[in-house]
Amino acid sequence: MEMDPIVDQELIELDDSSTDELTNMEIDLLLEGLYRWYGFDFRQYVRASLRRRVLNRMRLDRIPTVTALLNLVLHEPGYVDRLLGDFSIKVTEMFRDPSFFRAFRYNVVPQLRHLSEIRIWHAGCATGEEVYSMAILLQEEGLADRTKLYATDMNEKAIEAAKRGAYPLKQMQTFTKNYLDSGGTNSFSEYYTTDHKQAYFDASLREHVMFAQHNLVTDGSFNEFHVILCRNVLIYFDAALQSQVHNLFHGSLSTGGFLGLGSKESILLLHHASVYEEFVPTERIYRKMR
Ligand SMILES: C[S@@+](CC[C@H](N)C(=O)[O-])C[C@H]1O[C@@H](n2cnc3c(N)ncnc32)[C@H](O)[C@@H]1O
């Protein structure tokens, strides 16, 4: 999986197959403990990816068993946040997959122009790059003033970073290229100011954005939206959990509304496929028909 930077090689020592079954059972108990004590439900996340993260945390903190890790999670104040940080994979970019934003600009935006108020939900927005990208696109298309953007993530620290809208200067080259490839019409540097380390995105871009912590697994619907973007999040969920979250999206999307997924995600295999039209199939943009 491209978003998974942890190198398996580092884990081989701990990943001894003779203890595989026991480790898996301990991971079950760890996830059960996280859920029952803290309310964070990772029980239906793709197991291989979680397992790598658990083993990596044990290696970094020199913890001999998953049970010892569970002990720390339950009894050492604040330790749980470390594990939650490990489970939240925040890799993102502005105008990530520029062709998605190009399709959004040229295919979806014309369908939204007649609305007096447009509500867009960025579910799993990580540190906000996707939201600022959308805010820029909508400003350029003259729709910003009548749009409300709802930016949510389960990770509170990521949401705090999203609110700041400050990103390392060294990323601006990639972001600028993505912006231009996505059909951006201005000079990208007009949207931020800099010091020697960071680029600070213009506060006007945040004017119509509401940032909030929201967990797709355990929290419900909170509005009706014309657009829901949930890109590169469902890839971490098993099929049953994907289906559950698609129920949430279907119930939260207005008829005729648009659902945008990540480049490796699809609803085609799920029973929800029949209620959506493939609006821009190559970019995983679907339209709710009923
Ligand atoms: C790889 S980032 C995707 C960011 C952005 N959507 C993009 O495509 O660039 C995945 C994000 O999903 C969030 N996430 C994972 N499980 C979640 C859940 N149950 N509810 C809400 N957000 C979740 C993670 O915290 C992380 O910030």
Side-chain angles (χ1 to χ4, degrees):
M1 209 183 305
E2 109 191 326
M3 288 150 285
D4 194 342
I6 295 170
V7 183
D8 281 324
Q9 192 60 33
E10 294 171 348
L11 306 170
I12 280 173
E13 261 176 70
L14 281 161
D15 205 0
D16 172 9
S17 60
S18 64
T19 60
D20 231 33
E21 214 181 308
L22 181 58
T23 303
N24 283 339
M25 188 201 70
E26 289 179 283
I27 291 176
D28 283 346
L29 297 174
L30 172 69
L31 300 183
E32 197 60 33
L34 271 175
Y35 177 57
R36 289 177 56 177
W37 200 244
Y38 295 103
F40 287 104
D41 191 355
F42 294 98
R43 294 173 301 172
Q44 289 175 274
Y45 278 51
V46 173
R47 190 51 73 93
S49 167
L50 277 189
R51 183 185 158 91
R52 276 199 296 278
R53 276 151 228 296
V54 167
L55 296 181
N56 194 51
R57 174 52 51 201
M58 288 163 57
R59 188 182 58 81
L60 290 174
D61 291 352
R62 301 185 185 286
I63 300 168
T65 61
V66 181
T67 301
L69 176 66
L70 173 59
N71 187 43
L72 284 170
V73 163
L74 295 179
H75 297 291
E76 182 155 317
Y79 192 87
V80 65
D81 293 334
R82 216 177 280 187
L83 198 61
L84 293 178
D86 294 337
F87 285 178
S88 157
I89 297 139
K90 297 181 292 295
V91 178
T92 185
E93 277 178 3
M94 285 187 82
F95 295 94
R96 180 180 192 174
D97 300 324
S99 56
F100 175 91
F101 284 92
R102 179 179 279 275
F104 194 91
R105 188 188 286 266
Y106 294 115
N107 299 87
V108 178
V109 162
Q111 308 292 326
L112 302 175
R113 285 200 188 281
H114 70 281
L115 296 167
S116 54
E117 185 187 272
I118 304 163
R119 290 183 297 278
I120 300 181
W121 179 15
H122 292 265
C125 68
T127 39
E129 287 85 336
E130 181 184 275
V131 187
Y132 286 90
S133 308
M134 183 60 80
I136 288 172
L137 187 160
L138 293 168
Q139 212 174 73
E140 292 180 0
E141 294 300 319
L143 294 181
D145 288 342
R146 47 187 159 119
T147 305
K148 285 205 170 94
L149 299 163
Y150 298 79
T152 67
D153 199 282
M154 70 170 180
N155 183 330
E156 212 171 350
K157 286 201 181 116
I159 288 291
E160 289 310 314
K163 283 183 192 166
R164 288 192 293 277
Y167 304 110
L169 210 48
K170 61 177 190 287
Q171 289 189 295
M172 287 311 119
Q173 212 176 344
T174 307
F175 291 1
T176 304
K177 182 176 185 315
N178 286 354
Y179 166 76
L180 293 173
D181 290 348
S182 78
T185 57
N186 273 345
S187 159
F188 189 58
S189 59
E190 280 178 24
Y191 294 108
Y192 59 83
T193 53
T194 60
D195 59 18
H196 57 292
K197 268 172 118 172
Q198 302 231 285
Y200 302 89
F201 278 80
D202 204 297
S204 71
L205 297 170
R206 285 191 283 280
E207 217 170 284
H208 306 284
V209 186
M210 257 130 312
F211 295 96
Q213 188 184 22
H214 178 279
N215 192 316
L216 289 165
V217 182
T218 47
D219 295 329
S221 181
F222 57 95
N223 211 327
E224 186 176 285
F225 303 94
H226 305 100
V227 176
I228 297 177
L229 298 193
C230 185
R231 304 170 64 224
N232 309 298
V233 180
L234 299 177
I235 201 169
Y236 299 108
F237 297 179
D238 74 14
L241 185 55
Q242 287 186 29
S243 192
Q244 177 190 317
V245 175
H246 274 298
N247 276 337
L248 173 68
F249 291 157
H250 184 258
S252 307
L253 201 55
S254 57
T255 304
F258 298 90
L259 174 67
L261 302 178
S263 61
K264 295 177 196 68
E265 296 160 333
S266 167
I267 52 169
L268 290 184
L269 294 177
L270 301 169
H271 69 270
H272 298 85
S274 61
V275 296
Y276 287 95
E277 165 194 273
E278 287 189 88
F279 189 68
V280 186
T282 50
E283 301 304 331
R284 309 289 204 264
I285 300 177
Y286 303 92
R287 186 168 204 180
K288 177 174 159 177
M289 302 315 287
R290 58 180 188 278

